[in-house]
Amino acid sequence: MKRRIAGMMVFVLMMALLYGCSAGKGDTVTIGIGQYAEHPSLDNCREGFLAGLKSEGYEEGKNLKVEYENAQADNSLAGQIADGFVSKKVDLICAIATPMAQNAYGAAKNTKIPVIFTAVTDPVLAKLANDDKTPAGNVTGTSDKLPVEQQLKMIREILPDAKKIGILYNTSEANSVSAIEEYKALAGNYGFEIVESGITATADIPLATDNLLTKVDCVSNLTDNTVVSSLPVILKKAGEKKIPVFGSEIEQVKKGCLATVGIDYYDLGVKTGKMAAKVLKGEKKASDMNFEIIDQAAFYGNTAAAKDLGIDLPKDLTDSAKEMFDSIAE
């Protein structure tokens, strides 16, 4: 009997090591949440992630301990945060946004710590997944890939005479580079020309915005973390010139972007939390799960922004909207 019990204990231990972490609902697990920048869409991702974990039996203060760090859009700080999580031997790292995910995977690559990412536009380009969408290692998560073609269709319907769309982006963010390429590939199908303006730091945005606004009929904002952090500056300058700014998700429309066809980042976080729960329970290994994409994009519009710009949003869009806003959030 003793040998049988000992054998079972060895088997359980081997399975735990095999899956990297296999904590049950009754065990307390520690996860590190690294968020690249502080803005509402990424905050929503984090809140959704915790809600997704809770729905699967992992609740902060009960059987879940959370170490949360924000890199404030600083790549070197993101690296330090990732290294810190590894040194603390957390059970799992949740990395929010592409630069954080790249740093987390790099830090945990030679350990047994799984990395679950979210808000990564192109995991393949970010080298977090292979060309066939399989994980590059013990890493998986969710993509916030933009519905670019739907966005272009929407812009054309709202602005039938527009010709040039301006896009600001951080040249070091892989997610933005990927989105720019898709915009350029599809824009001609809708009679648009993309005018891009690459920046490398937040300090570049005011001048880059001024220059871009002299060349375009409207601006389409990406999920670029550096640019989103400076959205109020962009909206103020564009508003003074009566140039519409289109967002890429709901929070940007709340802030004053005219409209978007985008995803709900809270829902994205929930999906990510449920993926993480499978890993924590030992039901799946991160290395066995392909990344997932939310493809239920919806229209969001801001009637206050439309009024300021002197634009009437088409009725078929407003009638089909998931949500409309009649004010501009501070």
Side-chain angles (χ1 to χ4, degrees):
M1 177 64 75
K2 289 182 178 179
R3 287 182 179 178
R4 182 179 296 177
I5 292 172
M8 290 177 66
M9 291 177 67
V10 170
F11 176 75
V12 171
L13 178 60
M14 288 177 66
M15 291 300 292
L17 290 172
L18 176 64
Y19 281 93
C21 110
S22 56
K25 292 181 185 179
D27 302 319
T28 297
V29 297
T30 300
I31 63 172
I33 299 180
Q35 185 171 317
Y36 183 65
E38 190 167 351
H39 57 73
S41 56
L42 299 188
D43 293 342
N44 287 348
C45 248
R46 185 181 74 252
E47 292 171 11
F49 176 76
L50 293 172
L53 281 173
K54 186 177 179 180
S55 72
E56 295 296 324
Y58 292 98
E59 186 173 356
E60 195 172 2
K62 291 185 178 179
N63 59 352
L64 175 66
K65 181 181 177 183
V66 176
E67 301 274 352
Y68 169 68
E69 298 284 351
N70 194 303
Q72 303 299 330
D74 184 326
N75 198 57
S76 62
L77 182 54
Q80 293 171 30
I81 289 169
D83 290 339
F85 288 153
V86 170
S87 68
K88 291 177 182 178
K89 298 181 180 179
V90 297
D91 295 299
L92 178 145
I93 298 174
C94 171
I96 304 175
T98 302
M100 192 71 240
Q102 291 172 313
N103 279 286
Y105 177 51
K109 200 170 186 178
N110 296 318
T111 74
K112 296 183 181 297
I113 300 173
V115 175
I116 309 295
F117 59 76
T118 187
V120 173
T121 299
D122 191 337
V124 175
L125 186 63
K127 301 189 183 304
L128 300 169
N130 301 312
D131 289 339
D132 61 358
K133 296 186 178 181
T134 57
N138 198 21
V139 56
T140 190
T142 57
S143 167
D144 61 345
K145 185 179 184 302
L146 296 173
V148 174
E149 186 152 22
Q150 291 172 265
Q151 183 86 344
L152 288 167
K153 287 180 181 178
M154 175 200 68
I155 295 173
R156 175 52 71 209
E157 185 170 356
I158 294 173
L159 302 177
D161 298 323
K163 295 179 180 178
K164 295 184 179 181
I165 301 174
I167 301 179
L168 280 166
Y169 72 106
N170 186 333
T171 55
S172 66
E173 285 203 31
N175 58 318
S176 299
V177 174
S178 173
I180 284 282
E181 290 307 310
E182 188 171 4
Y183 260 99
K184 289 195 292 188
L186 295 172
N189 296 341
Y190 299 91
F192 289 121
E193 176 188 343
I194 300 301
V195 181
E196 60 187 280
S197 179
I199 54 101
T200 59
T202 302
D204 300 336
I205 288 177
L207 182 57
T209 301
D210 287 337
N211 289 336
L212 187 65
L213 292 174
T214 65
K215 305 172 184 176
V216 300
D217 301 301
C218 65
V219 172
S220 190
N221 201 39
L222 306 179
T223 53
D224 187 292
N225 297 288
T226 307
V227 175
V228 172
S229 297
S230 296
L231 184 57
V233 173
I234 298 167
L235 286 170
K236 183 177 184 297
K237 289 179 175 292
E240 290 169 352
K241 293 182 177 296
K242 299 296 183 183
I243 293 178
V245 177
F246 293 92
S248 53
E249 47 81 34
I250 183 173
E251 295 298 334
Q252 294 175 22
V253 177
K254 286 182 183 178
K255 290 281 188 180
C257 286
L258 177 60
T260 189
V261 175
I263 64 171
D264 187 317
Y265 273 73
Y266 183 86
D267 290 345
L268 187 71
V270 170
K271 181 184 283 285
T272 314
K274 290 183 176 183
M275 292 179 74
K278 290 180 181 179
V279 176
L280 291 171
K281 293 175 186 178
E283 296 174 357
K284 292 276 191 178
K285 290 189 292 184
S287 57
D288 290 336
M289 291 192 290
N290 289 7
F291 69 85
E292 297 185 23
I293 299 173
I294 283 186
D295 51 15
Q296 295 89 8
F299 177 77
Y300 301 90
N302 191 311
T303 55
K307 183 178 180 181
D308 289 344
L309 292 163
I311 292 174
D312 291 323
L313 292 172
K315 190 174 185 299
D316 65 312
L317 289 177
T318 58
D319 285 349
S320 67
K322 184 173 181 179
E323 194 167 358
M324 295 292 296
F325 305 97
D326 59 9
S327 63
I328 296 173
E330 294 295 328

